[in-house]
């Protein structure tokens, strides 16, 4: 208002009815002088009552009625006929100036627009946590931070293309402090950390279920020797808790690649390799046989062998089935990270048929016992799932440069997962519809006649299936974490050896041999090649008994 005063409001008297009022005239009760408002923008004509809390620090003061043209605050559009919009800063006391020039640290999102946290904290200038942008809250508490943390790492872990992983502002300096500045390697380490975060709850949940089941049952150990109790007990405990502990240590030191990698390898040896080695020991060596009759001893050991075979079958089956899918998943991730490499593609091409043949043996055995369309279809889909990658072998075994080729590899991953899920759905449908001797295998175990009683209750069957799937998923995810490290080292070894081999005299010999073999495959005559005779390697021995290597004109190359 002009000069901070009002001509009629100072006397508290109403203006003459019908009299024309200047634009700055206030009619109504007076109020304490308002503090300065935000910088002015275009004026807006307002008619109405202004809430006191928006303009005056004293809540007991009465509101003022404004009639005329009042400039609107910066950043807010004029609102004719409505109340003045609140400023974007808290109400300040009289003696304390409002922070007009200070930027609002966080702007509250409007509608359904996701909140994008700044890369640095406006107050301290330090990098913000990577998951802050996933909290959907401008001032997140611990709960919102936890949600953002889960969203960030879950979205990274399930990413089919590792080059889509974003490197946050607070993560790049951590990796740079360990000498990792290449963006691709940073993406690899960040994806690996998120994958281990995905593994941790699955691994510890599986270990908790197995440990509870193992120690809750009462077992008669009188027939076992001390050697058997110690070996079997230690092996079973390491099989359950070895890889969860290794995963926790690996994700704790995720930025120290060598320590983290070796921790996972040791965990794999303890949880996967050691049980297979112990299973090679005859189960009869773990029991105490007090009889001296040789025939009785043979019978006892045979019976113990049957018990041991059953025990190891169900104990090692999840680990065995988890190896091949874990390897395939690791190779596909490496191919997405390093599309120029052919090593992961060839591993896929070699392991996929092998895994299919292993499942084929299981399918033949099951099909002989119970032939059913649902059973056959489910097993065939699961068995053929690894063969999905063989459809586009040409993309896997060559350097992939174009973006459309990378998208086709991602599509293969989707088809692979969909094939497995459909196969599992068919198998579950088969189990719930299966009947043995007129009784359903899964159903109501407390049915009243004449309704048949099921052999296994729905709750019990669901619990057993969920337990198996959790253990299988945890081991499969762990195998992927170990395999991707080993295959990255293998890829490094291949690259180093090829770089050392290129440019040597033996490289020319190898190129000539491969050119001739290509002519053989294509049915061509290699006489048109520059060398009519294959160049002799430096380490080969010619018929005279001397080392090979003559002049270049004959096609031979000088030895080192």
């Amino acid at each position: 208002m002009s000069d901070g005063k009002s001509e009629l409001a100072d006397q508290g008297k109403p203006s003459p009815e019908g009299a024309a009022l200047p634009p700055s005239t206030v009619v109504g009760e007076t109020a304490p002088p308002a503090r300065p408002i935000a910088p002015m923008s275009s004026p807006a004509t307002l008619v109405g009552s202004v809430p006191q809390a928006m303009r005056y620090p004293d809540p007991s003061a009465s509101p003022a009625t404004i009639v005329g043209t009042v400039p609107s605050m910066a950043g807010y559009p004029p609102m004719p006929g409505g109340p003045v919009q609140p400023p974007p800063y808290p109400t300040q006391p009289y003696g304390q100036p409002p922070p007009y020039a200070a930027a609002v640290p966080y702007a509250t999102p409007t509608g359904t627009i996701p909140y994008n946290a700044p890369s640095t904290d406006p107050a301290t200038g330090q990098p913000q946590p990577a998951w802050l942008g996933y909290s959907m809250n401008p001032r997140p508490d611990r709960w919102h931070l936890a949600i953002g943390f889960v969203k960030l790492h879950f979205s990274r872990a399930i990413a089919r293309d590792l080059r889509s992983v974003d490197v946050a502002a607070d993560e790049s300096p951590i990796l740079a402090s360990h000498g990792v500045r290449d963006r691709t390697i940073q993406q690899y380490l960040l994806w690996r950390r998120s994958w281990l975060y995905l593994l941790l709850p699955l691994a510890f949940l599986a270990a908790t279920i197995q440990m509870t089941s193992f120690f809750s049952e009462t077992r008669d150990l009188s027939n076992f020797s001390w050697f058997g109790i110690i070996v079997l007990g230690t092996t079973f405990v390491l099989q359950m808790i070895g890889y969860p502990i290794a995963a926790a240590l690996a994700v704790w030191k995720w930025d120290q690649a060598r320590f983290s990698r070796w921790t996972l390898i040791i965990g794999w040896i303890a949880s996967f390799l050691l049980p297979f080695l112990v299973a090679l020991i005859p189960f009869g060596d773990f029991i105490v046989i007090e009889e001296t009759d040789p025939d009785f001893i043979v019978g006892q050991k045979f019976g113990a062998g049957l018990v041991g075979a059953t025990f190891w079958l169900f104990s090692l089956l999840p680990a065995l089935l988890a190896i091949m899918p874990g390897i395939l998943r690791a190779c596909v991730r490496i191919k997405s990270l390093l599309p120029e490499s052919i090593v992961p593609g060839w591993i896929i091409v070699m392991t996929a048929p092998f895994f299919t043949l292993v499942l084929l043996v299981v399918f033949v055995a099951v099909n002989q016992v119970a032939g059913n369309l649902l059973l056959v279809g489910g097993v065939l889909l699961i068995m053929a799932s690894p063969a999905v990658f063989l459809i586009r072998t040409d993309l896997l075994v060559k350097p992939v440069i174009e973006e459309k080729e990378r998208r086709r590899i991602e599509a293969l991953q989707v088809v692979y997962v969909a094939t497995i899920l459909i196969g599992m759905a068919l198998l579950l449908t088969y189990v719930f519809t299966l009947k043995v001797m007129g009784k359903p295998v899964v159903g109501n175990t407390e049915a009243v006649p004449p309704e048949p009683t099921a052999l296994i209750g729905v709750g019990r069957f669901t619990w057993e299936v969920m337990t198996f799937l959790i253990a299988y998923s945890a081991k499969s995810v762990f195998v992927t974490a170990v395999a991707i490290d080993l295959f990255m080292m293998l890829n490094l070894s291949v690259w180093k050896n090829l770089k050392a081999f290129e440019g040597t005299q033996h490289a020319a010999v190898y190129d000539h041999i491969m050119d001739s073999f290509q002519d053989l495959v294509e049915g061509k005559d290699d006489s048109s090649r520059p060398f009519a005779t294959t160049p002799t390697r430096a380490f080969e021995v010619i018929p005279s008994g001397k080392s090979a290597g003559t002049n270049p004109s004959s096609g031979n190359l000088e030895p080192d």
Side-chain angles (χ1 to χ4, degrees):
M1 301 178 184
S2 121
D3 300 329
K5 298 180 181 180
S6 178
E7 301 167 353
L8 299 177
D10 288 344
Q11 305 298 327
K13 299 178 181 180
S15 60
E17 186 175 356
L21 299 178
S24 301
T25 303
V26 177
V27 179
E29 298 182 26
T30 59
R35 62 185 179 126
I37 60 175
M40 303 302 180
S41 63
S42 60
T45 303
L46 305 181
V47 179
S49 178
V50 181
Q52 184 66 35
M54 295 182 182
R55 302 292 300 275
Y56 304 103
D58 186 6
S60 61
S62 60
T65 301
I66 298 180
V67 180
T69 302
V70 180
S72 63
M73 290 180 294
Y76 291 85
M79 298 183 61
V84 176
Q85 296 298 299
Y89 45 80
T91 303
Q92 303 289 331
Y94 278 118
Q96 183 176 355
Y100 298 122
V104 181
Y106 301 96
T108 305
T110 59
T112 58
I113 301 176
Y115 168 65
N116 295 319
S119 58
T120 58
D121 189 344
T124 63
Q126 298 297 322
Q128 294 278 40
W131 56 85
L132 185 61
Y134 288 77
S135 63
M136 298 296 294
N137 193 302
R139 301 177 186 271
D141 53 15
R142 293 182 179 181
W143 174 250
H144 289 93
L145 284 177
I147 295 177
F149 180 87
V150 172
K151 286 183 178 180
L152 170 66
H153 291 290
F154 183 76
S155 62
R156 281 181 176 175
I158 65 174
R160 295 188 297 270
D161 187 357
L162 267 61
R163 290 197 173 188
S164 64
V165 174
D166 292 330
V167 181
D170 67 317
E171 296 169 330
S172 182
I174 296 175
L175 295 174
S177 64
H178 294 279
V180 181
R181 294 177 175 84
D182 183 80
R183 179 174 176 81
T184 301
I185 304 303
Q186 289 182 348
Q187 289 173 325
Y188 160 65
L189 294 177
L190 292 176
W191 175 87
R192 184 177 176 274
R193 178 178 64 160
S194 298
W195 189 258
L196 292 176
Y197 277 132
L198 177 66
L199 167 64
L200 285 180
L202 288 174
F204 279 101
L205 179 60
T208 302
I209 294 174
Q210 292 177 338
M211 294 285 286
T212 303
S213 175
F214 179 75
F215 290 105
S216 62
E217 298 179 4
T218 303
R219 291 178 173 83
D220 184 12
L221 303 178
S222 59
N223 294 328
F224 286 88
S225 63
W226 283 106
F227 172 74
I229 294 175
I230 294 174
V231 171
L232 293 177
T234 303
T235 302
F236 195 63
V237 171
L238 288 177
Q239 183 184 8
M240 290 184 293
I241 67 174
Y243 70 99
I245 294 177
L249 293 175
V251 76
W252 176 44
K253 297 292 185 179
W254 67 275
D255 52 342
Q256 302 178 20
R258 179 175 298 180
F259 174 84
S260 183
R261 179 175 64 251
W262 278 106
T263 301
L264 291 179
I265 293 175
I266 294 173
W268 181 83
I269 293 174
S271 296
F272 287 77
L273 184 59
L274 181 62
F276 279 96
L277 295 178
V278 174
L280 298 176
I281 303 176
F283 210 76
D285 296 344
F286 298 141
I287 63 175
V288 177
I289 302 177
E290 299 178 354
E291 296 290 336
T292 58
D293 187 2
D295 294 336
F296 183 83
I297 294 175
V298 172
Q300 284 284 87
K301 289 190 174 181
F302 179 77
L306 293 178
V307 174
T310 305
F311 169 78
W312 288 120
L313 175 64
F314 288 98
S315 178
L316 301 178
L317 185 61
L320 180 63
L321 295 177
I323 291 177
M324 288 300 173
I327 290 176
L328 292 176
R329 194 183 300 113
C331 291
V332 173
R333 294 300 195 280
I334 295 178
K335 188 64 177 179
S336 69
L337 180 70
L338 303 174
E340 302 85 359
S341 174
I342 64 173
V343 174
W346 277 112
I347 296 176
I348 294 174
V349 172
M350 298 300 295
T351 56
F354 177 76
F355 186 53
T356 301
L357 292 176
V358 171
L359 294 179
L360 179 61
V361 175
V362 178
F363 166 72
V364 171
V366 173
N367 188 50
Q368 293 297 325
V369 176
N372 184 277
L373 184 60
L374 293 173
L375 176 63
V376 173
V379 175
L380 280 178
L381 286 176
I382 296 178
M383 181 185 68
S385 58
V388 169
F389 294 104
L390 302 180
I391 299 175
R392 296 308 306 267
T393 305
D394 58 317
L395 293 178
L396 300 175
V397 298
K398 74 170 186 178
V400 175
I401 301 176
E402 297 182 4
E403 184 67 20
K404 62 180 181 180
E405 294 179 336
R406 296 177 59 189
R407 297 299 174 228
R408 289 171 184 170
I409 296 178
E410 291 184 27
L412 290 178
Q413 300 180 55
V414 176
V415 176
Y416 169 72
V417 175
T419 304
I420 294 179
L421 293 179
I422 295 174
M424 294 178 62
L426 292 178
L427 290 180
L428 289 177
T429 305
Y430 165 75
V431 172
F432 277 99
T433 57
L434 178 63
K435 292 185 178 181
V436 176
M437 300 179 64
K439 293 184 177 181
V441 175
V442 179
N444 187 7
T445 56
E446 300 178 357
V448 178
E451 182 181 352
T453 303
L455 301 177
I456 305 175
V458 176
R460 178 67 180 179
F461 175 78
T462 304
W463 171 254
E464 294 295 337
V465 171
M466 291 299 298
T467 302
F468 176 82
L469 290 179
I470 291 174
Y472 168 79
S473 301
K475 292 181 181 296
S476 178
V477 172
F478 181 77
V479 169
T480 300
V482 177
I484 197 170
D485 284 343
L486 296 179
F487 292 154
M488 285 291 287
M489 297 300 296
L490 175 62
N491 196 76
L492 175 63
S493 176
V494 171
W495 174 79
K496 289 173 60 178
N497 291 327
L498 287 178
K499 292 289 289 184
F501 184 70
E502 290 177 359
T504 63
Q505 60 180 359
H506 301 288
V509 177
Y510 183 75
D511 290 341
H512 177 78
I513 296 173
M514 288 294 101
D515 288 337
S516 300
F517 183 73
Q518 181 180 0
D519 292 339
L520 174 64
V521 172
E522 297 177 356
K524 299 179 180 179
D525 185 3
D526 64 351
S527 59
S528 60
R529 296 290 177 185
F531 295 150
T533 306
T534 302
T536 306
R537 298 183 180 91
F539 55 82
E540 290 181 336
V541 178
I542 58 177
S544 62
K546 299 180 180 180
S547 294
T550 57
N551 56 72
S553 61
S554 63
N556 295 331
L557 300 173
E558 293 293 338
D560 293 334

